[in-house]
Amino acid sequence: MPYGVWASLHSLSHIYLARIADLGAADIFPLDRWEQTTWAGLFGRYVTALFLVQVLFFTIEWCYRKLCDWGVFKHPYEFPKTPIKPGHLDRTAALYYDTPMSLYEKFKIFLFVVSGMLFFRVICATLAFFAACVMISLCSWYEHPWWRALFHALTRVFYRCMMFFYGFYVVRGFGTPAPPRDVKLLIGNHTGPIEIVILFNTCFPSFVTRVENLTIPLFSGIVKAVDAIVVNRDDAESKKITMDIIQRRANDPSSAQLMIFPEGTTNNQHALFQFRKGAFVSGQPVQPVVFHYPYRHLNPCFTGRIVGGLDLVDLIIRLASQFVNRAEFKFLPVYHPSEEEKKNPELYAENVRVLMASHLGIKVSDASYQDYKDALEKYHQAHNEERSRKRSQTNDDTRKQK
């Protein structure tokens, strides 16, 4: 260090120490200010500190991503640079959940609970979600383009806030969504509820949803606002009506784009399930959209406890207990079916599935929604047998005591 700089720092340190010597302890640590602080003031400072920690997490992730863009680090778990021919994965492996609760995950949950960060994140994200649902519902009140554009923009803001509080600070997108006049059907892989949020931040399509989702608060307003299609997966007549509506919209130039998850359920990010043919019967072009969630400690797929995975509450708690979550999506070029594919919807669906799996770098599987239903039946059967065994054991113990 140059002598001049050293001399300047030495002089400043002497001045600073002399200033401290002139001050009393009460001036350095003004306890009277703390005595005058109300509980509301302390709580406000506490919430502000939590928010600043959240901003710190965001800043670290943003800087890391920028360094990756500049080539300093490699992007974590990015899409394959070239499509990879997918292999085949058996049904059991396709249902397997690979990030169960570990000691490290338990420690993080404990840390986030004790610090209050988990409650802060969940409350803020929930408020943002409800605000976004209200904005979407308001879209349907008035059909003027400016009105809808305003509330669509507000919806995107609140959904982005929700993603922020759940740790999705940087969502990387690739490709360009085709305009509605060129393609009506968007085809995506389905791992959980996050895809809908990403799409609403991108192109705001309509979608097909299961009837069970109508129990989610304010979700019916979203269904009405985007003119979504509701299907009962266990009712053959409902599925037939849904297929007819999809075909009609695919051939209607004035209809909005429709997002369809042809697997009919959620996968574990290791393989694409069988595609149902409903989206492909019309023979119209489709645009595949692939979603990928890079992870190390938490696979954010919503597969349910019946296969060892996560239910909705489990998913929320574990997402809110991560320092960072990552998401990527890619709009692939519009897929125009051949004449043979137009005549054979099963072939059309299979070729699109293989294409999407190759861009995701994962395998395909014969697994389907029926496998989840079978697993649920086995789960309930095992649960009932366990209850019967415990009841019988209790009765035997009672008889012995008598």
Side-chain angles (χ1 to χ4, degrees), residues 167-203:
F168 291 96
Y169 307 119
V170 181
V171 179
R172 301 177 70 212
F174 305 89
T176 305
R181 65 176 180 274
D182 294 339
V183 63
K184 293 296 182 182
L185 302 179
L186 304 176
I187 305 297
N189 61 301
H190 198 21
T191 62
I194 306 172
E195 291 91 51
I196 297 296
V197 178
I198 293 175
L199 284 169
F200 276 178
N201 277 282
T202 308
C203 55

Side-chain angles (χ1 to χ4, degrees), residues 80-97:
K81 296 187 181 300
T82 56
I84 301 172
K85 184 178 180 180
H88 188 272
L89 195 65
D90 63 77
R91 295 170 185 259
T92 303
L95 297 175
Y96 175 72
Y97 184 70

Side-chain angles (χ1 to χ4, degrees), residues 344-356:
N344 189 345
E346 288 85 1
L347 176 64
Y348 187 7
E350 180 61 20
N351 289 342
V352 172
R353 181 171 78 133
V354 170
L355 174 67
M356 294 172 61

Side-chain angles (χ1 to χ4, degrees), residues 30-41:
L31 298 178
D32 56 329
R33 294 184 183 179
W34 286 98
E35 293 175 355
Q36 296 174 4
T37 303
T38 61
W39 284 106

Side-chain angles (χ1 to χ4, degrees), residues 26-183:
D27 296 317
I28 300 175
F29 303 103
L31 298 178
D32 56 329
R33 294 184 183 179
W34 286 98
E35 293 175 355
Q36 296 174 4
T37 303
T38 61
W39 284 106
L42 290 174
F43 181 75
R45 293 179 183 179
Y46 171 65
V47 172
T48 302
L50 292 177
F51 181 75
L52 291 177
V53 172
Q54 185 75 5
V55 172
L56 176 63
F57 291 160
F58 163 78
T59 304
I60 294 173
E61 175 66 7
W62 186 85
C63 292
Y64 173 68
R65 287 304 182 108
K66 283 299 180 182
L67 292 174
C68 291
D69 292 338
W70 295 337
V72 179
F73 301 113
K74 180 182 178 182
H75 273 292
Y77 314 103
E78 62 183 0
F79 284 114
K81 296 187 181 300
T82 56
I84 301 172
K85 184 178 180 180
H88 188 272
L89 195 65
D90 63 77
R91 295 170 185 259
T92 303
L95 297 175
Y96 175 72
Y97 184 70
D98 61 343
T99 54
M101 188 72 73
S102 64
L103 181 61
Y104 175 64
E105 285 297 295
K106 292 178 181 178
F107 170 74
K108 281 195 299 185
I109 292 176
F110 173 78
L111 178 65
F112 277 76
V113 168
V114 171
S115 65
M117 179 60 78
L118 187 145
F119 305 106
F120 171 74
R121 281 179 157 187
V122 171
I123 291 172
C124 290
T126 303
L127 292 175
F129 171 75
F130 281 131
C133 291
V134 171
M135 295 300 107
I136 295 177
S137 300
L138 290 174
C139 287
S140 60
W141 285 19
Y142 189 51
E143 293 299 328
H144 194 280
W146 287 100
W147 176 272
R148 296 183 71 88
L150 171 63
F151 285 101
H152 281 182
L154 291 174
T155 299
R156 290 188 177 96
V157 170
F158 285 118
Y159 271 140
R160 194 67 195 90
C161 289
M162 187 187 79
M163 296 285 283
F164 169 79
F165 285 112
Y166 275 129
F168 291 96
Y169 307 119
V170 181
V171 179
R172 301 177 70 212
F174 305 89
T176 305
R181 65 176 180 274
D182 294 339
V183 63

